[in-house]
Amino acid sequence: MGESKGKKADLASTPNPPPVEIENNLQIALVQAQDDDEALAQSAVEANDEAPQSDRGSPTPIVQDDAATDEEGEDGADLEALEHDPGKRIAISRYAVNDQDRVRRRYIELGPCQPKNHDFPYRDISGHPRRFCPVWFKQNKWLEYSVERDAAFCFVCYLFKDKRKCPGGDTFVKGGWRNWHLKSRLKKHMGTVSSAHAEAQEKYDRFTTPRTSIRESIASNTTQYKALYKLRLTWTLKCLRFLLRQGLAFRGHDESEDSLNKGNFLELLNWLAGNFEEVDRVVLKNAPQNCKMTCHQVQHELIKCCAQETTKLVIEELGGQNFAILADESADVYQNEQLAVCLRYVDKKGRAVERFLGVAHVEDTSAMTLKAAVEHMLMKYNLTFAMVRGQGYDGASNMKGNANGLKKLIMDESPYAYYVHCFAHQLQLTLVAVAKESGDCTWFFGQLVILLNVLGNSCKKMRMLRMAQAEELIDALELEEEETGKGLNQEMGLGRPCDTCWGSHYKTVMHVISMYPAIRRVLVKIGKEYTTAEAQSAMTMLTSFRSFEFVFMAHLMQEIFGYTEDLSRALQKKDQDIVNAMELVDLTKFHLQCLREEEGWNNFLQRVTSFCVKYKIKVVDMEGSYYPVGRPKRGFYNGAMNYHRFHVDMFVSVIDRQLRELNDRFDEVNTELLSCMAAFSPLDSFAAYDQAKLVTLATKFYPKDFTTKELGKLPWQLNMYISHVRRDERFKNLKNLCELSVKLVNTQKDEQYYVVYKLLKLVLILPVATASVERVFSTLNYVKNKQRNKMGDEYLNNCLVTFNEREFFSQVKDEDIINLFQQGDRRVIL
């Protein structure tokens, strides 16, 4: 072992050879140096890991707490499955020899586990409450903390400590250090320049900055070679950044020289080389054969660096403050279950933002599996559940279950991570419930399905519909019933509504009413010209389509969907706060209640009657007997009057069901937590302000987020705050809490009333809807499509991070990506 180290030191200290003038000779020298360096490195590893001859007789069993565990190796290390928490890691020596450097490099990319804003628990030591002090992270860069074990570890000793040379002193590597009252043990662990920690630190520095290798010595002979290499890498990166921003594929089915389509990446690089001489000079055919920077491994590593730098900006914007989790699971095109996680927090400008953190493949959707996946994703960025102050999921039992749901498991670790059922999902459930309970709604949507089947079965019928629409528009323009202008009289189609997106139902109903005369004209034409089966279906549909009952239900659904559509769009805004969402729900219920009143009924009936008169539809006599259209009479009692049937059974009944579902499902608006939050509302010159409720909000719901001193300051800060904002003209006409927060930051009142602003941020963190997660699944289907259905989990996550967070990705500098790419043992160190 000593001879090997001495030989390597002599080679590393050899003076640089004279510059090589011819580039081909330089390439040969580089290849030879690479082979020599790899041989030396391999011999060093074998020398370091060589066991005594006496231990080679029989295999040693693996025991968890025995020193023999470090002698065994585990093949096929999954770098994405590595635990960031030092209390959950396995020893480096347990990995296969060929995987150890890869594992070390991956842990160096992740960095030491330092959850600086974790709620470190107190422990009684000698009669005094003690806990880990996060200031120690700043004083000791190597220090790590395990949330699992509540213990401290040494990052560099875990990676590089020589256990044969220094077999003892493994407290900071295996069990962890927990003597919080003995800070001097940190300096004792570091020791002198000859200590085991100092030697591990030296190995760490050499591993991260291998400036003394033979490869670097030869490559540094010419600055021209390094300049060309950097240009080649830069143009490769520019092509990758363009494709990542567009969510496009990189590889081609055939990337050979004779291929007519080599894939997006090579085709884009070829186009740049063909149009710009400075690009053509350094890439593809003019690049060294062993350093073209176009192979798939280089692409994946650069994409990984892009994703890491993008997420780094997100974490920097978070700034170690509290946040909320938005999560949902869905299957991708390859039928893999993917869990998407977004963070909601208040940025430095005072805006409530929702940022994509990543996706993770989960084997099942049980609450424990989802919790482990979320925890692993958070720990990669030194975030813990103790920092969570809100949860937003759908209503599935594995997510919001009170016994074993994901909500309950996270609240066990963070009691102030309050759960909110996605408002947009609840709104959709109300519409589904109304449609299932009301027989009249079920009949109407069934008629829509038949109509779409009759008209949407062939391109010829759709063309007939477009022609009929054009003819109706010409007639309307001649009668001056329609106006001309930019953006007016656009061509419309009949999209098929989706059961999981009730906004599509509103769009279909709107188009049916707008295109009513054109649809009726096409149905008549089909009934006259087509075969017997198609003509019969069209004429049957025409009977219902021209009935007063169909028009009545279409207008009723338009009214209800019109109010709920505005609410649905408002709930899907990223900066929506829960107080404003509560007010929108109340406003929607108010309008539905007004529609239910006598005046609302009269106005509605007048609009329906005017529509029927315009298109020559027979208007029923409200005092006459009711006769169903397209439905058997036995489903209705004899002698029913039209007024009772249309007003009570249809109009009032559907609206009452809608109101009842809104009251039952949006039960959050009645909780004490949200009632206290509503006291922050800036509407009507802060008319809802209530100091007692805001103090209760801090002392009862978020006591751990405020010190005793801050809680004592809160009442008089609230008094000064409310007097200031009511007098200041800049704070008038604010509509929601997000605008209030931004205005406080712009006027620097967030620093003056810092306790009040901290409480306001906790209110803004609470999520409203999981629309951001749903958008992630939309991009997931766009990025991982049928042509790219076998993308790896890490590759998919990296592509989604750069595509969803394009705002941050565009801010990442090429130089930062290249520097991250160059970490480790690369051919040329810039």
Side-chain angles (χ1 to χ4, degrees):
M1 183 187 304
E3 295 177 359
S4 176
K5 287 187 176 180
K7 183 178 179 181
K8 187 170 183 179
D10 293 338
L11 287 172
S13 61
T14 303
N16 294 338
V20 182
E21 300 295 338
I22 303 176
E23 188 173 0
N24 292 334
N25 294 338
L26 176 60
Q27 296 171 11
I28 296 173
L30 281 171
V31 175
Q32 292 175 351
Q34 179 183 2
D35 296 337
D36 294 341
D37 202 20
E38 290 176 354
L40 287 173
Q42 182 65 25
S43 64
V45 171
E46 293 174 355
N48 287 335
D49 292 338
E50 185 178 2
Q53 295 293 333
S54 59
D55 296 336
R56 294 188 178 185
S58 59
T60 305
I62 297 179
V63 184
Q64 184 65 25
D65 295 329
D66 190 61
T69 58
D70 297 339
E71 303 298 326
E72 293 293 325
E74 294 186 0
D75 298 332
D78 184 4
L79 299 185
E80 284 304 307
L82 297 179
E83 291 288 350
H84 197 204
D85 192 312
K88 299 180 180 179
R89 297 172 183 164
I90 63 175
I92 290 290
S93 55
R94 292 188 62 186
Y95 294 97
V97 174
N98 295 332
D99 290 339
Q100 289 180 8
D101 280 351
R102 295 174 53 243
V103 173
R104 288 189 178 100
R105 187 174 292 111
R106 176 56 179 163
Y107 273 122
I108 291 174
E109 290 177 0
L110 293 174
C113 182
Q114 297 181 347
K116 300 178 182 178
N117 293 278
H118 175 66
D119 186 11
F120 299 97
Y122 285 93
R123 186 164 53 88
D124 183 82
I125 300 178
S126 301
H128 298 281
R130 307 280 187 175
R131 69 169 185 172
F132 181 89
C133 183
V135 179
W136 295 341
F137 287 140
K138 185 181 296 185
Q139 300 171 352
N140 305 279
K141 303 297 183 182
W142 49 268
L143 189 61
E144 292 188 291
Y145 177 82
S146 171
V147 177
E148 180 75 13
R149 295 190 180 185
D150 184 27
F153 293 81
C154 179
F155 185 57
V156 296
C157 288
Y158 168 74
L159 294 177
F160 293 102
K161 182 179 179 182
D162 190 344
K163 296 183 180 180
R164 293 177 179 82
K165 184 177 179 181
C166 305
D170 282 347
T171 301
F172 281 85
V173 178
K174 287 188 176 180
W177 175 71
R178 303 183 65 196
N179 296 326
W180 311 135
H181 62 301
L182 299 176
K183 181 183 176 182
S184 59
R185 293 295 176 87
L186 298 175
K187 291 185 177 180
K188 184 178 179 181
H189 170 73
M190 296 175 64
T192 62
V193 293
S194 60
S195 65
H197 175 85
E199 183 178 348
Q201 183 68 51
E202 183 180 1
K203 292 180 180 179
Y204 175 85
D205 295 337
R206 289 181 178 179
F207 189 85
T208 54
T209 56
R211 301 278 180 174
T212 59
S213 66
I214 298 176
R215 183 179 309 169
E216 168 61 18
S217 300
I218 296 179
S220 62
N221 282 326
T222 171
T223 57
Q224 180 183 4
Y225 185 89
K226 295 172 68 174
L228 294 176
Y229 171 84
K230 186 172 182 179
L231 283 174
R232 188 160 49 252
L233 181 59
T234 301
W235 286 112
T236 297
L237 178 59
K238 289 184 181 297
C239 294
L240 290 176
R241 294 189 68 152
F242 173 80
L243 297 176
L244 285 172
R245 285 178 57 85
Q246 301 301 316
L248 301 176
F250 296 86
R251 299 174 58 178
H253 179 69
D254 182 8
E255 295 185 350
S256 62
E257 291 293 333
D258 300 332
S259 175
L260 298 177
N261 186 0
K262 301 180 179 64
N264 292 329
F265 173 75
L266 290 179
E267 289 293 335
L268 180 58
L269 195 59
N270 268 305
W271 183 88
L272 289 173
N275 289 272
F276 301 97
E277 183 179 353
E278 63 271 21
V279 181
D280 184 54
R281 224 168 15 93
V282 295
V283 302
L284 298 176
K285 61 182 179 180
N286 292 324
Q289 292 298 317
N290 61 344
C291 191
K292 286 191 172 185
M293 308 303 295
T294 57
C295 70
H296 303 146
Q297 182 179 359
V298 171
Q299 294 178 26
H300 287 190
E301 291 182 5
L302 280 172
I303 293 170
K304 180 180 178 181
C305 294
C306 292
Q308 289 179 355
E309 288 296 318
T310 303
T311 306
K312 180 181 177 181
L313 292 182
V314 174
I315 301 301
E316 288 178 356
E317 186 187 53
L318 176 61
Q321 60 181 330
N322 296 322
F323 58 88
I325 295 176
L326 305 175
D328 198 3
E329 74 276 354
S330 179
D332 58 25
V333 69
Y334 196 61
Q335 296 303 311
N336 283 335
E337 196 74 26
Q338 302 287 352
L339 175 70
V341 177
C342 293
L343 303 182
R344 179 183 173 90
Y345 55 91
V346 179
D347 65 4
K348 297 178 181 179
K349 297 181 180 179
R351 302 173 302 176
V353 295
E354 296 175 359
R355 303 296 185 188
F356 173 63
L357 186 64
V359 294
H361 172 57
V362 290
E363 297 297 332
D364 56 72
T365 57
S366 64
M368 290 298 298
T369 303
L370 298 179
K371 176 181 177 291
V374 173
E375 184 177 18
H376 179 74
M377 194 178 300
L378 293 178
M379 285 301 299
K380 286 172 59 178
Y381 308 106
N382 293 327
L383 305 176
T384 63
F385 285 137
M387 303 165 63
V388 179
R389 291 297 178 270
Q391 304 178 68
Y393 317 125
D394 58 17
S397 59
N398 63 332
M399 305 299 281
K400 75 165 189 176
N402 293 324
N404 296 312
L406 178 61
K407 172 198 74 173
K408 179 65 167 54
L409 296 177
I410 294 180
M411 290 193 71
D412 288 343
E413 300 192 21
S414 180
Y416 312 114
Y418 299 110
Y419 165 74
V420 176
H421 186 182
C422 171
F423 275 33
H425 187 258
Q426 291 184 80
L427 179 61
Q428 177 182 326
L429 292 177
T430 63
L431 299 173
V432 172
V434 171
K436 288 183 177 180
E437 291 179 4
S438 173
D440 297 308
C441 292
T442 304
W443 172 81
F444 173 73
F445 288 120
Q447 295 299 309
L448 283 184
V449 172
I450 297 174
L451 176 64
L452 294 173
N453 289 337
V454 171
L455 298 180
N457 286 336
S458 67
C459 300
K460 185 176 180 180
K461 294 177 182 177
M462 294 305 299
R463 178 173 173 78
M464 291 171 58
L465 181 60
R466 287 192 288 268
M467 295 298 295
Q469 185 180 355
E471 293 173 0
E472 291 291 338
L473 179 59
I474 293 173
D475 295 340
L477 291 175
E478 291 178 352
L479 297 174
E480 296 183 353
E481 295 178 353
E482 297 287 346
E483 296 181 358
T484 59
K486 185 176 181 180
L488 300 178
N489 306 318
Q490 297 293 315
E491 183 181 282
M492 292 184 291
L494 291 177
R496 190 173 293 273
C498 176
D499 290 339
T500 59
C501 182
W502 281 81
S504 60
H505 290 71
Y506 174 64
K507 183 178 179 180
T508 301
V509 172
M510 286 282 292
H511 286 188
V512 167
I513 295 176
S514 301
M515 301 169 58
Y516 186 87
I519 294 174
R520 185 174 59 180
R521 179 180 294 189
V522 172
L523 289 175
V524 173
K525 191 173 183 179
I526 293 174
K528 292 180 179 179
E529 297 181 358
Y530 276 68
T531 59
T532 305
E534 294 179 342
Q536 185 176 2
S537 299
M539 296 307 295
T540 303
M541 183 63 230
L542 184 62
T543 303
S544 300
F545 192 72
R546 291 191 299 189
S547 65
F548 178 83
E549 190 167 349
F550 182 90
V551 175
F552 183 91
M553 287 302 301
H555 281 78
L556 179 58
M557 292 295 101
Q558 183 186 28
E559 288 284 338
I560 294 178
F561 286 164
Y563 292 123
T564 56
E565 175 70 8
D566 291 339
L567 175 60
S568 178
R569 290 183 178 275
L571 294 177
Q572 296 180 40
K573 293 181 179 179
K574 292 184 178 181
D575 60 347
Q576 187 64 262
D577 62 87
I578 195 163
V579 174
N580 193 52
M582 292 161 49
E583 294 172 352
L584 290 173
V585 172
D586 289 337
L587 187 62
T588 300
K589 292 191 292 185
F590 171 76
H591 284 295
L592 289 177
Q593 185 65 38
C594 291
L595 180 63
R596 185 188 183 280
E597 302 298 331
E598 189 67 26
E599 183 179 356
W601 158 254
N602 293 332
N603 294 334
F604 173 78
L605 184 60
Q606 183 179 359
R607 289 194 297 272
V608 175
T609 304
S610 301
F611 184 89
C612 293
V613 171
K614 180 179 179 180
Y615 296 110
K616 299 179 181 180
I617 300 172
K618 183 180 179 181
V619 180
V620 299
D621 181 11
M622 288 297 168
E623 301 299 328
S625 300
Y626 170 74
Y627 295 96
V629 178
R631 286 184 282 182
K633 295 182 180 180
R634 64 178 179 273
F636 308 94
Y637 57 89
N638 296 328
M641 304 298 292
N642 283 324
Y643 179 82
H644 183 275
R645 183 73 181 91
F646 285 98
H647 181 239
V648 178
D649 293 348
M650 293 185 183
F651 186 78
V652 175
S653 176
V654 172
I655 295 177
D656 284 347
R657 283 191 173 96
Q658 184 70 58
L659 288 171
R660 185 175 66 251
E661 289 294 330
L662 287 173
N663 288 326
D664 292 343
R665 296 190 181 275
F666 287 93
D667 53 353
E668 286 89 350
V669 300
N670 299 320
T671 62
E672 183 183 2
L673 171 63
L674 300 189
S675 176
C676 293
M677 290 180 173
F680 255 127
S681 177
L683 292 175
D684 300 328
S685 297
F686 300 87
Y689 173 79
D690 189 329
Q691 178 177 323
K693 288 185 176 180
L694 294 179
V695 173
T696 302
L697 182 64
T699 56
K700 181 177 180 179
F701 295 100
Y702 298 104
K704 293 293 185 180
D705 292 300
F706 299 91
T707 63
T708 304
K709 183 179 179 180
E710 289 175 339
L711 291 177
K713 285 185 177 182
L714 181 59
W716 66 263
Q717 270 206 12
L718 284 171
N719 287 331
M720 295 183 63
Y721 153 79
I722 194 61
S723 299
H724 199 150
V725 295
R726 281 176 173 171
R727 293 179 181 180
D728 196 333
E729 293 292 333
R730 294 173 294 182
F731 287 87
K732 290 187 176 180
N733 301 322
L734 296 179
K735 298 179 181 179
N736 51 53
L737 296 184
C738 291
E739 294 183 5
L740 173 61
S741 176
V742 172
K743 187 65 67 175
L744 286 173
V745 174
N746 291 339
T747 57
Q748 297 182 351
K749 297 297 185 295
D750 60 318
E751 299 177 2
Q752 183 177 356
Y753 308 113
Y754 66 95
V755 183
V756 178
Y757 184 65
K758 180 189 287 189
L759 184 61
L760 177 60
K761 288 198 298 183
L762 291 172
V763 175
L764 288 174
I765 286 174
L766 206 61
V768 177
T770 59
S772 296
V773 183
E774 300 298 334
R775 294 187 186 98
V776 171
F777 290 136
S778 298
T779 57
L780 171 63
N781 294 328
Y782 179 77
V783 173
K784 187 173 183 179
N785 48 42
K786 292 182 179 180
Q787 286 72 34
R788 308 173 72 187
N789 59 355
K790 292 188 178 181
M791 297 176 65
D793 295 333
E794 180 184 7
Y795 181 37
L796 172 62
N797 178 76
N798 295 334
C799 291
L800 287 176
V801 167
T802 53
F803 186 71
N804 283 285
E805 294 300 332
R806 280 169 285 185
E807 177 185 352
F808 282 119
F809 184 39
S810 61
Q811 299 175 15
V812 176
K813 299 179 181 179
D814 291 346
E815 194 68 28
D816 294 335
I817 299 174
I818 292 175
N819 289 338
L820 182 59
F821 177 75
Q822 286 297 324
Q823 289 183 2
D825 196 8
R826 295 289 179 191
R827 182 175 300 278
V828 178
I829 306 298
L830 301 179

